[in-house]
Amino acid sequence: MWTTIVQIAPYAIVFTIPLLITALGGLFSERSGVVNIGLEGLMIMGAFAGAFTTFKLQALYPNNPYMIWVGLLAALLAGALFSLLHAFASINLSADQVISGTAINMIAGAITIFLARNMTGSGNIRISNFAPYNIRGFSDIPIIGPLIFSKTYDTTWLVLAIVAISSFVLYKTPFGLRLRACGEHPHAAEAAGVNVKRMRYIGVMISGAFSGLGGAIIIVTYAGEFTGSVAGLGFLALASLIFGQWKPLGVLAATLFFGIASTVANVSQVIPSLAVFPPIILKIFPYVVTLIALIVFSKSSRAPKAVGEPYDSGKR
């Protein structure tokens, strides 16, 4: 049993990290009052931008490990810029935010494949990704060493740092108070001098940046290749956001739960104790677990009160 846990743990963390940063991005958007179901599309856009940038730079500067970090930065910027479409439609045009997010998902999947085929001659973009490593000293710690500090990536610790900083920003700074106020009582926030539309723009752009980064992390860690899809992880991130009650630590716990479920599905055939189960059952396992979790916790969900509601200050 312990051997199986040790085998699964590093994979579970790797699968959790893209979910975590994407769900955290969704948290910023929805805390500001804008529903963002376009997380999947934003992840795809980030995956494409990160893969294409890294692919080109690695051709120019082979064996330079810093080129991957430039690709991650490109993914972050691409996600932030692409999210402006959703922000403009939702905030300026008062469009239905669910429809706008759905359009983002549809556009991203189509345009990235089109661009990849025209820029590289193939719909796929293969890169040299990060190699996992053991943290010297820490990986030898009994019990937690093999679980947490072995076969790890730099991106894991980057995302965990972002989660800690985001939690502080949301609950301990004036910016976080203003952002949360825009998602709860936007008219009261405006009366207190907060520019609600600007705060919502910032929330959506942070959402896009984090989602783009999440998509790129998939490519530079365990995937190594852009294929035009992130296998529905954007929707799992959205479910994690709801499951985690729109709180950073809750989202962390939820994404770890779904990350473990995804790991069971993806590495089952190389772990003898899991290989006895039919592959199709394990493949649908994370999505069935998602549905059950949403049903169980739907009545206790406490979404921001004004999320999804178009805001009109009444000013002309």
Side-chain angles (χ1 to χ4, degrees), residues 169-218:
V169 168
L170 280 170
Y171 294 103
K172 301 295 183 180
T173 65
F175 171 82
L177 177 62
R178 296 187 189 105
L179 188 80
R180 289 183 289 118
C182 291
E184 296 286 349
H185 303 286
H187 291 284
E190 184 185 46
V194 177
N195 187 324
V196 174
K197 289 188 175 182
R198 183 174 66 185
M199 292 303 298
R200 288 190 170 184
Y201 257 96
I202 293 172
V204 174
M205 289 186 70
I206 292 174
S207 174
F210 284 3
S211 299
L213 181 60
I217 286 174
I218 294 173

Side-chain angles (χ1 to χ4, degrees), residues 20-21 24-25 28 76 155-169 206 209-210 213 217 248:
L20 175 58
I21 190 63
L24 187 66
F28 273 91
L76 189 145
T155 50
T156 297
W157 307 105
L158 171 65
V159 169
L160 291 177
I162 292 174
V163 172
I165 294 170
S166 296
S167 184
F168 176 81
V169 168
I206 292 174
F210 284 3
L213 181 60
I217 286 174

Side-chain angles (χ1 to χ4, degrees), residues 249-312:
L249 294 182
V251 168
L252 174 61
T255 51
L256 181 60
F257 174 76
F258 289 122
I260 293 172
S262 298
T263 303
V264 170
N266 285 282
V267 304
S268 59
Q269 297 308 301
V270 297
I271 297 178
S273 58
L274 296 177
V276 297
F277 295 98
I280 187 63
I281 293 178
L282 295 175
K283 285 293 182 183
I284 66 173
F285 176 69
Y287 305 101
V288 172
V289 169
T290 301
L291 288 173
I292 293 173
L294 290 176
I295 292 170
V296 170
F297 291 94
S298 61
K299 291 185 178 180
S300 61
S301 293
R302 294 291 181 269
K305 293 180 180 178
V307 68
E309 298 178 4
Y311 177 72
D312 184 3

Side-chain angles (χ1 to χ4, degrees), residues 1-313:
M1 181 65 180
W2 173 249
T3 302
T4 301
I5 294 174
V6 170
Q7 287 177 313
I8 288 178
Y11 293 105
I13 293 174
V14 170
F15 281 115
T16 296
I17 291 303
L19 280 175
L20 175 58
I21 190 63
T22 303
L24 187 66
L27 185 149
F28 273 91
S29 179
E30 301 206 0
R31 277 292 184 180
S32 73
V34 178
V35 171
N36 192 353
I37 68 166
L39 299 179
E40 177 91 356
L42 293 168
M43 287 185 79
I44 293 173
M45 184 58 67
F48 166 74
F52 181 74
T53 302
T54 304
F55 173 76
K56 288 297 186 182
L57 289 175
Q58 286 181 340
L60 292 173
Y61 307 100
N63 302 320
N64 188 330
Y66 296 106
M67 296 304 100
I68 298 180
W69 289 105
V70 178
L72 290 175
L73 179 60
L76 189 145
L77 294 174
L81 292 174
F82 194 61
S83 69
L84 286 173
L85 292 174
H86 181 53
F88 180 74
S90 301
I91 299 169
N92 292 82
L93 303 181
S94 298
D96 186 296
Q97 295 170 13
V98 174
I99 300 299
S100 176
T102 302
I104 291 293
N105 290 333
M106 296 174 68
I107 293 170
I111 196 171
T112 52
I113 289 292
F114 173 80
L115 291 173
R117 286 178 178 173
N118 281 273
M119 292 178 174
T120 66
S122 169
N124 297 355
I125 304 174
R126 185 180 295 274
I127 65 168
S128 297
N129 52 351
F130 282 129
Y133 63 94
N134 296 338
I135 299 180
R136 186 176 301 176
F138 290 92
S139 61
D140 298 325
I141 298 174
I143 301 178
I144 65 170
L147 297 179
I148 301 175
F149 299 109
S150 64
K151 297 180 182 178
T152 189
Y153 294 89
D154 290 332
T155 50
T156 297
W157 307 105
L158 171 65
V159 169
L160 291 177
I162 292 174
V163 172
I165 294 170
S166 296
S167 184
F168 176 81
V169 168
L170 280 170
Y171 294 103
K172 301 295 183 180
T173 65
F175 171 82
L177 177 62
R178 296 187 189 105
L179 188 80
R180 289 183 289 118
C182 291
E184 296 286 349
H185 303 286
H187 291 284
E190 184 185 46
V194 177
N195 187 324
V196 174
K197 289 188 175 182
R198 183 174 66 185
M199 292 303 298
R200 288 190 170 184
Y201 257 96
I202 293 172
V204 174
M205 289 186 70
I206 292 174
S207 174
F210 284 3
S211 299
L213 181 60
I217 286 174
I218 294 173
I219 305 299
V220 303
T221 53
Y222 62 86
E225 182 180 24
F226 173 77
T227 61
S229 170
V230 290
L233 291 185
F235 296 109
L236 278 181
L238 187 62
S240 301
L241 176 60
I242 299 170
F243 191 29
Q245 296 292 296
W246 292 268
K247 297 178 181 178
L249 294 182
V251 168
L252 174 61
T255 51
L256 181 60
F257 174 76
F258 289 122
I260 293 172
S262 298
T263 303
V264 170
N266 285 282
V267 304
S268 59
Q269 297 308 301
V270 297
I271 297 178
S273 58
L274 296 177
V276 297
F277 295 98
I280 187 63
I281 293 178
L282 295 175
K283 285 293 182 183
I284 66 173
F285 176 69
Y287 305 101
V288 172
V289 169
T290 301
L291 288 173
I292 293 173
L294 290 176
I295 292 170
V296 170
F297 291 94
S298 61
K299 291 185 178 180
S300 61
S301 293
R302 294 291 181 269
K305 293 180 180 178
V307 68
E309 298 178 4
Y311 177 72
D312 184 3
S313 63

